[in-house]
């Protein structure tokens, strides 16, 4: 029996269009413009075109990021102490403890170190762009030894380094875990992975990274989070409109990059911050990705609203083979010469179910696509096979991603 669940995420929920009310009186001369109502802002952010597809207009700051500013991934190794007999006693953990106590001026040997209340852990965090000295950060802690749980432990001072080998963050503090583990002589219970935790605000930035607003060419460059020619052109047009009347030159370099060129006098950090804040509030149109994502393990299918399917005919057949092993006893007749024997019997049953050919119309939106596929009465496994066949046959007008 198949016990799979199909999850179709729909993005076609739209607010009903409200009838236009009476026009508001113009503001008095010198008065500040009235703030837009929530309904007006929503109509700007989400609307429909003539084909019935949803058009999203997010802010530029939500669909781009500064090109030359990336987070710096940091890693480190540390020791967690104070564990209630849920730590580890392997040689690596005891060696790490020995290194710590020797740094503090205590001379011990490996035989003097007893495990069980400590654990050797890995540390990781992401240093954001423009991180400053003294800034607090959350640090992720994961056991790399045979510790049973990190619950109730305390992380000793440890360093987190970047790809250049330099120390950027120093971490220390209590470890917070979401789960727990308890065991006795004959039973044990575990809830959530308790060998992973966080040290909230336990990391402090000790070395700043040299992050710049401007690229090597001296321009402000914005990276498009969902690269496409339409998105890059739309973002560039929105920026050009916002900076109209200035000496800035805006261009879409490629589907993933938009460049803002400034004069030498305007090339300052203060002006760059002001321009990014001004441009970030501008709303622009972005296209819905035409992509279908299939997770074969869970039977999940995620389809975007812009997915189109060419009209075609689909027929499905399902073959089920059942093999039953039975064991029978052969008993000889009375007064007959023979012995009782066990005889194995194998029974094989094959059933075939076929569905009639059904027309699959083209879908313009997610709701149309769902209605077309529901008429076929597909199981999750069959639905995945249909999408793969549509892609191979050229009927699926979208990118298919199978995981």
């Amino acid at each position: 029996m198949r016990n799979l669940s199909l999850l179709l995420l729909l993005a076609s929920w739209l607010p009903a269009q409200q009838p236009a009310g009476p026009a508001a009186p113009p503001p008095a001369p010198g008065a500040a413009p009235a703030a837009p109502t929530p309904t007006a802002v929503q109509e700007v952010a989400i609307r429909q075109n003539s084909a019935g597809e949803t058009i999203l207009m997010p802010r530029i700051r939500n669909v781009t990021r500064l090109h030359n500013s990336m987070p710096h991934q940091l890693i480190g190794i540390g020791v967690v102490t104070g564990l209630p007999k849920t730590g580890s006693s392997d040689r690596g953990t005891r060696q790490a403890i020995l290194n710590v106590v020797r740094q503090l001026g205590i001379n011990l040997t490996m035989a003097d170190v007893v495990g069980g209340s400590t654990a050797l852990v890995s540390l990781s965090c992401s240093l954001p762009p423009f991180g400053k000295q003294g800034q607090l950060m959350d640090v992720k802690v994961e056991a790399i030894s045979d510790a049973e749980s990190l619950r109730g432990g305390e992380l000793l001072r440890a360093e987190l380094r970047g790809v250049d080998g330099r120390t950027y963050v120093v971490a220390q503090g209590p470890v917070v875990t979401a789960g727990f583990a308890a065991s006795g002589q004959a039973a044990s219970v575990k809830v959530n992975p308790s060998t992973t935790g966080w040290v909230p605000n336990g990391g402090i930035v000790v070395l700043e990274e040299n992050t710049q607003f401007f690229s090597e060419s001296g321009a402000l460059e914005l990276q498009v989070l969902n690269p496409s020619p339409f998105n890059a052109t739309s973002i560039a047009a929105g920026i050009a409109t916002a900076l109209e009347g200035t000496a800035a030159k805006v261009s879409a370099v490629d589907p993933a990059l938009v460049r803002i060129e400034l004069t030498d006098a305007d090339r300052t950090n203060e002006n760059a911050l002001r321009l990014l804040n001004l441009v970030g509030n501008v709303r622009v149109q972005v296209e819905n990705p035409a992509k279908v994502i299939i997770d074969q393990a869970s039977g999940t299918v995620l389809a975007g609203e812009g997915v189109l399917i060419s009209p075609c005919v689909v027929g499905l057949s399902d073959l089920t083979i059942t093999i039953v092993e039975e064991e029978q006893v052969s008993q000889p007749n009375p007064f007959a010469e023979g012995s009782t024997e066990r005889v194995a019997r194998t029974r094989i049953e094959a059933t075939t179910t076929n569905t009639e050919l059904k027309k699959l119309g083209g879908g313009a939106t997610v709701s149309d696509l769902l209605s077309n596929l529901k008429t076929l009465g597909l199981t999750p496994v069959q639905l995945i096979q249909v999408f793969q066949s549509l892609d191979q046959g050229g009927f699926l007008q979208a990118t298919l991603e199978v995981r």
Side-chain angles (χ1 to χ4, degrees):
M1 298 178 60
R2 296 169 180 167
N3 186 13
L4 297 176
S5 61
L6 172 62
L7 175 62
L8 287 175
L9 303 182
L10 304 180
S12 58
W13 298 328
L14 299 174
Q17 295 183 355
Q18 303 292 336
T37 62
T39 303
V41 173
Q42 190 177 29
E43 290 177 354
V44 171
I46 303 176
R47 60 187 181 88
Q48 285 186 324
N49 61 7
S50 57
E53 295 184 8
T54 304
I55 296 180
L56 302 180
M57 299 187 65
R59 291 184 174 90
I60 290 181
R61 65 161 57 106
N62 297 329
V63 294
T64 63
R65 70 175 180 87
L66 199 59
H67 178 54
N68 59 326
S69 63
M70 296 183 298
H72 196 171
Q73 304 296 332
L74 310 178
I75 59 173
I77 299 294
V79 176
V80 174
T81 61
L83 300 176
K85 297 183 179 180
T86 58
S88 57
S89 58
D90 60 295
R91 182 177 179 84
T93 301
R94 291 187 290 129
Q95 182 64 52
I97 299 172
L98 189 62
N99 295 341
V100 172
V101 296
R102 285 179 176 177
Q103 289 178 0
L104 299 178
I106 302 176
N107 190 13
L108 296 178
T109 62
M110 182 68 71
D112 299 325
V113 180
V114 179
S117 61
T118 58
L120 189 65
V121 297
S122 64
L123 309 174
S124 60
C125 69
S126 180
L127 180 64
F130 303 99
K132 301 300 180 183
Q133 287 187 358
Q135 181 177 343
L136 301 180
M137 303 182 59
D138 296 339
V139 177
K140 188 176 183 180
V141 182
E142 295 179 292
I144 57 177
S145 56
D146 59 350
E148 297 180 0
S149 175
L150 298 180
R151 187 178 182 87
E154 180 92 8
L155 174 67
L156 298 182
R157 185 185 65 194
E159 300 178 354
L160 285 89
R161 302 181 180 183
V163 294
D164 54 0
R166 305 174 66 185
T167 300
Y168 288 87
V169 172
V170 174
Q172 180 176 323
V175 179
V176 178
T177 61
F180 66 89
S183 62
Q185 294 183 354
S188 62
V189 60
K190 293 182 179 181
V191 177
N192 295 332
S194 54
T195 55
T196 300
W198 291 85
V199 182
N201 292 330
I204 182 171
V205 179
V206 296
L207 180 62
E208 297 181 7
E209 193 171 17
N210 186 20
T211 309
Q212 300 292 334
F213 283 103
F214 301 95
S215 63
E216 295 180 358
S217 62
L220 285 175
E221 295 181 345
L222 299 181
Q223 181 178 350
V224 182
L225 298 183
N226 294 315
S228 74
F230 178 87
N231 289 348
T233 304
S234 179
I235 292 172
I239 296 176
T241 302
L243 301 182
E244 188 176 0
T246 66
K249 297 180 180 180
V250 184
S251 61
V253 180
D254 52 47
L257 190 65
V258 176
R259 178 174 297 158
I260 306 175
E261 298 180 3
L262 304 175
T263 61
D264 295 339
D266 295 334
R267 203 172 297 163
T268 62
N269 290 343
E270 294 80 5
N271 191 46
L273 192 62
R274 182 185 63 84
L275 287 179
L276 291 176
N277 183 52
L278 173 64
V279 169
N281 285 324
V282 177
R283 291 186 179 272
V284 295
Q285 293 185 13
V286 295
E287 62 179 356
N288 296 324
K291 179 183 294 186
V292 177
I293 301 176
I294 295 177
D295 189 341
Q296 299 185 92
S298 62
T300 301
V301 178
L302 176 64
E305 189 184 25
V307 171
L308 295 176
I309 294 181
S310 301
C312 57
V313 176
V314 177
L316 300 173
S317 62
D318 192 4
L319 174 63
T320 303
I321 299 177
T322 304
I323 302 176
V324 180
E325 296 287 350
E326 298 177 344
E327 193 174 73
Q328 299 178 354
V329 178
S330 176
Q331 180 71 28
N333 295 329
F335 307 105
E337 294 183 0
S339 60
T340 302
E341 299 290 344
R342 292 185 177 182
V343 181
R345 294 288 187 269
T346 301
R347 179 164 48 89
I348 301 177
E349 299 177 356
T351 58
T352 304
T353 58
N354 297 318
T355 60
E356 59 178 338
L357 296 178
K358 296 183 180 181
K359 180 180 180 181
L360 184 62
T365 63
V366 168
S367 58
D368 296 335
L369 176 63
L370 179 61
S371 300
N372 290 334
L373 295 178
K374 276 186 175 180
T375 60
L376 299 177
L378 305 182
T379 64
V381 175
Q382 290 175 331
L383 183 61
I384 293 174
Q385 295 173 350
V386 167
F387 270 112
Q388 291 176 335
S389 299
L390 290 174
D391 181 61
Q392 293 174 359
F395 296 98
L396 181 62
Q397 312 304 326
T399 302
L400 179 64
E401 181 178 334
V402 181
R403 299 177 180 177

